[in-house]
Amino acid sequence: MADKEPLFARVALIGIGLIGSSLARAIRSKGLAGEIVVQTRRAETLRRAEELGLGDRYEADATEAVKGADLVVLSIPVGACGAVAAEIGPHLQKGAILTDVGSTKGTVVSDVAPYVPEGVHFIPGHPIAGTEHSGPDAGFASLFEGRWTILTPPPGADPAAITKLTEFWTACGSKVDTMDPDHHDRVLAIVSHLPHIIAYNIVGTADDLEAVSKSEVIKYSASGFRDFTRLAASDPTMWRDVCLSNRDAILEMLGRFSEDLASLQRAIRWGDGDKLFDMFTRTRAVRRSIIEAGQEVDAPDFGRHPEIARIKAEDGD
Amino acid sequence: MADKEPLFARVALIGIGLIGSSLARAIRSKGLAGEIVVQTRRAETLRRAEELGLGDRYEADATEAVKGADLVVLSIPVGACGAVAAEIGPHLQKGAILTDVGSTKGTVVSDVAPYVPEGVHFIPGHPIAGTEHSGPDAGFASLFEGRWTILTPPPGADPAAITKLTEFWTACGSKVDTMDPDHHDRVLAIVSHLPHIIAYNIVGTADDLEAVSKSEVIKYSASGFRDFTRLAASDPTMWRDVCLSNRDAILEMLGRFSEDLASLQRAIRWGDGDKLFDMFTRTRAVRRSIIEAGQEVDAPDFGRHPEIARIKAEDGD
């Protein structure tokens, strides 16, 4: 690594949560930057990032952090991107690439673009990777491996900048797609936003029951419920912002979901066994495809059973 | 093991799918039966059970299988229990325990009880354990370890028989609770049936979209969607029967879920960020409780990341 020129001379990471700190670790382990500058507003988080040795320099002030950086990554809740862009815009270096990792792209584009100066390449991005944990301790270098990152370059974006950012994500282990922001937001509404909202909702419903105690829900959760709690343990600020900023696509998906659920509910009420069997059969194929595409582990029960997890790990899967 | 009297002289396993075959393996490894008789109607499945060496004897005819057995376990879809009980009833040995592993208890009691002869102890049961896989190959001996089994003994059931069945499940690694069938069905409606129905439904909704392709759903599924596909890959016959036999409790839970979802949807439509934040915050505590209760792994992303899974396995978690 040492004798190879890094991809970027200086990367400024604005925000150092799960994604930011995973990026810091990946950049370090792959030697992708001459210098990593870590910025976050909360003093406690910045101190923790320093303890973890995530960067080469630590800044509380975003304008200081971005000075002289040839890559700036916003890894903050999407609702905060506009204000941060307004703050750092005048301090961005000519020729720098400005990107983000937000789960919605339409509002990020409209919030951030007005503050991007001439000569800075703004190329929004979204790595489709994560866990239910947040904060600088939660990150790990292999988070992006085998996952997809979607870039949504605006019309007329510099092809060289797109190529360089693609190279960066590829070096982090990710596969890269490009699409327009609206399509991104519609795709994510179904594959990510709706599942999280449904998960939050069902956990809330269970928590409210009078006839079934909380301790019963917890004891017997292995029968299905616990799978939803992983998503429902995700960062509330991030998900509030996602709901607010991808409202239209989410409402459309919620409408379709509720319509389908009403139909399923009717089949249950009227005892339509054939319809239920058909509905419960077609969905198996989807899971097989996900496993074949390498986006899921094929261990039963996600390999939760210690015995199976151990065998899998020894096999090197 | 060899010099210790087994708990049962002869166990007849009626059905040899995920649960039946896991029981066969657990019984064998713990030495809980003098003889294991495996019965299933499908010739192919019976042959496979024999290849796997799951029993000591293999029968296609249930009436033959139960003769002389002091424990008979029905591990078949709940919808099939009544007909099988009618068939085997006259052949059950006096003093035998008859139990099942069905996910609903109310209809099993009403379907099976009329065929249970005087002197046979009918004690319905439900191990809260499983994976998304089915068939005799899917089972494993440790499936019940650390999980709960709920028994729903009818009023006046023989205490000695309850104790013996409790001992049996405990020896299989399970913890045992007893409750009445109606309460069981209500608890399971929220912790298991509703999650499965919701998962089937969302996978169906995604599969129907015109604006987002199937390949996009699959590629980007790691962002939330894939967690639902595990449940939605479960056995369709089993889940059809669950829906038909626990209709009232499921409809009640679906009603509550939809009501809550409508309220959440309204908060999204009107941009009520504070309400969304509150809803998304309270659900984290539920997950923490499930992990503390040992009903969930605490690895991020269910330990799907190979690097983390390996570290966890080495730690012996």
Side-chain angles (χ1 to χ4, degrees):
Chain A
M1 294 293 172
D3 48 0
K4 201 182 133 199
E5 189 75 13
L7 202 52
F8 293 98
R10 183 182 294 168
V11 175
L13 299 173
I14 307 301
I16 196 74
L18 168 65
I19 301 292
S21 74
S22 293
L23 268 180
R25 291 169 170 103
I27 292 168
R28 176 87 77 201
S29 84
K30 310 285 184 184
L32 303 179
E35 187 187 17
I36 301 170
V37 184
V38 171
Q39 187 275 341
T40 183
R41 208 160 292 192
R42 288 188 61 210
E44 198 191 324
T45 312
L46 193 62
R47 204 159 42 235
R48 185 61 192 148
E50 191 163 1
E51 283 168 14
L52 293 167
L54 296 175
D56 301 303
R57 192 147 60 77
Y58 303 86
E59 295 285 353
D61 183 347
T63 62
E64 283 303 320
V66 303
K67 277 180 191 159
D70 47 353
L71 176 66
V72 175
V73 186
L74 307 179
S75 308
I76 52 181
V78 288
C81 285
V84 169
E87 195 186 337
I88 63 172
H91 304 274
L92 292 169
Q93 176 178 275
K94 208 173 154 68
I97 294 173
L98 172 65
T99 190
D100 77 310
V101 300
S103 303
T104 64
K105 296 272 67 82
T107 55
V108 169
V109 170
S110 57
D111 290 356
V112 171
Y115 301 107
V116 180
E118 191 67 32
V120 169
H121 307 292
F122 174 44
I123 303 169
H126 178 204
I128 313 291
T131 75
E132 66 279 27
H133 297 307
S134 22
D137 285 277
F140 49 98
S142 66
L143 178 63
F144 311 106
E145 268 170 31
R147 300 285 163 253
W148 287 88
T149 295
I150 298 173
L151 302 181
T152 64
D158 178 33
I162 300 174
T163 302
K164 201 168 176 188
L165 191 57
T166 301
E167 231 179 295
F168 171 78
W169 280 110
T170 306
C172 290
S174 185
K175 298 178 274 189
V176 179
D177 256 353
T178 59
M179 59 179 73
D180 75 75
D182 282 354
H183 187 63
H184 168 279
D185 286 358
R186 205 176 272 252
V187 171
L188 269 289
I190 186 71
V191 297
S192 178
H193 308 168
L194 185 62
H196 278 82
I197 290 165
I198 296 303
Y200 278 120
N201 194 67
I202 196 170
V203 176
T205 302
D207 205 36
D208 278 343
L209 294 173
E210 314 84 23
V212 178
S213 71
K214 286 193 211 323
S215 79
E216 286 174 321
V217 169
I218 286 156
K219 275 163 80 171
Y220 309 129
S221 60
S223 53
F225 182 76
R226 65 172 177 187
D227 282 14
F228 289 68
T229 61
R230 187 183 84 81
L231 298 181
S234 303
D235 184 36
T237 306
M238 170 182 161
W239 284 97
R240 177 200 61 199
D241 284 6
V242 165
C243 288
L244 298 176
S245 68
N246 198 22
R247 196 188 66 162
D248 294 345
I250 290 173
L251 290 177
E252 191 205 323
M253 297 306 169
L254 272 171
R256 284 169 177 261
F257 172 86
S258 296
E259 202 173 293
D260 293 344
L261 190 62
S263 165
L264 209 164
Q265 184 167 333
R266 193 170 189 282
I268 294 172
R269 189 177 300 279
W270 292 95
D272 189 346
D274 291 342
K275 184 170 180 181
L276 292 171
F277 185 82
D278 288 347
M279 286 171 134
F280 297 168
T281 301
R282 60 183 282 214
T283 49
R284 287 192 138 177
V286 176
R287 182 165 180 85
R288 273 196 300 273
S289 304
I290 291 175
I291 292 169
E292 284 160 17
Q295 295 302 307
E296 177 61 293
V297 293
D298 64 353
D301 205 18
F302 300 126
R304 275 181 179 113
H305 295 279
E307 170 186 292
I308 293 179
R310 206 163 295 131
I311 293 164
K312 286 267 153 194
E314 283 162 12
D315 287 352
D317 284 341
Chain B
M1 292 294 175
D3 50 359
K4 202 182 130 199
E5 189 74 15
L7 201 53
F8 293 97
R10 181 183 295 169
V11 175
L13 298 174
I14 307 299
I16 196 72
L18 169 65
I19 301 292
S21 74
S22 293
L23 269 179
R25 292 171 171 102
I27 293 168
R28 176 88 75 201
S29 84
K30 310 286 184 184
L32 302 178
E35 185 187 18
I36 301 171
V37 184
V38 170
Q39 188 275 340
T40 183
R41 208 159 294 192
R42 287 190 61 211
E44 198 191 325
T45 312
L46 193 62
R47 205 161 39 235
R48 184 64 192 145
E50 191 163 2
E51 283 167 13
L52 293 167
L54 296 175
D56 300 304
R57 193 148 59 77
Y58 303 87
E59 295 283 354
D61 182 347
T63 61
E64 284 303 317
V66 304
K67 277 180 191 158
D70 47 353
L71 175 65
V72 175
V73 186
L74 307 179
S75 308
I76 51 181
V78 287
C81 285
V84 169
E87 195 187 337
I88 63 173
H91 305 274
L92 292 170
Q93 176 179 272
K94 207 173 155 69
I97 295 174
L98 172 65
T99 190
D100 77 310
V101 299
S103 304
T104 65
K105 296 271 69 82
T107 56
V108 169
V109 170
S110 57
D111 290 355
V112 171
Y115 303 106
V116 179
E118 190 68 33
V120 169
H121 307 291
F122 175 43
I123 303 169
H126 178 203
I128 313 290
T131 76
E132 65 278 25
H133 297 305
S134 23
D137 285 275
F140 49 98
S142 66
L143 178 63
F144 311 106
E145 267 170 31
R147 300 285 163 253
W148 287 89
T149 295
I150 298 174
L151 302 180
T152 64
D158 178 33
I162 300 173
T163 302
K164 200 168 177 189
L165 191 57
T166 301
E167 232 179 293
F168 171 77
W169 279 110
T170 306
C172 290
S174 185
K175 298 178 273 189
V176 179
D177 256 354
T178 59
M179 58 178 74
D180 76 73
D182 282 353
H183 188 63
H184 168 279
D185 287 357
R186 205 176 273 251
V187 171
L188 269 289
I190 186 70
V191 298
S192 178
H193 308 167
L194 184 61
H196 278 81
I197 289 164
I198 296 302
Y200 279 120
N201 193 67
I202 196 170
V203 176
T205 302
D207 205 36
D208 278 343
L209 294 173
E210 314 84 22
V212 177
S213 71
K214 286 193 210 324
S215 79
E216 285 174 320
V217 168
I218 287 156
K219 276 163 81 172
Y220 309 129
S221 59
S223 53
F225 182 76
R226 65 173 178 187
D227 282 15
F228 290 67
T229 61
R230 187 183 84 80
L231 299 181
S234 302
D235 184 35
T237 306
M238 170 181 163
W239 284 98
R240 177 200 61 199
D241 283 6
V242 165
C243 288
L244 298 176
S245 68
N246 197 22
R247 196 188 66 162
D248 293 346
I250 289 173
L251 289 177
E252 191 204 323
M253 296 307 167
L254 271 170
R256 285 169 176 262
F257 172 85
S258 296
E259 202 174 292
D260 292 344
L261 190 61
S263 164
L264 208 165
Q265 184 167 332
R266 193 171 188 283
I268 294 172
R269 189 177 300 280
W270 293 95
D272 189 344
D274 291 343
K275 184 167 179 182
L276 293 171
F277 185 83
D278 288 348
M279 285 171 135
F280 297 167
T281 301
R282 60 184 280 215
T283 50
R284 286 191 139 177
V286 176
R287 183 166 179 85
R288 273 197 299 274
S289 305
I290 291 174
I291 292 169
E292 284 159 16
Q295 295 302 308
E296 177 61 291
V297 293
D298 64 353
D301 205 19
F302 299 127
R304 275 182 179 113
H305 296 278
E307 171 186 291
I308 293 179
R310 206 163 294 131
I311 294 164
K312 285 268 153 193
E314 283 161 15
D315 287 354
D317 283 341

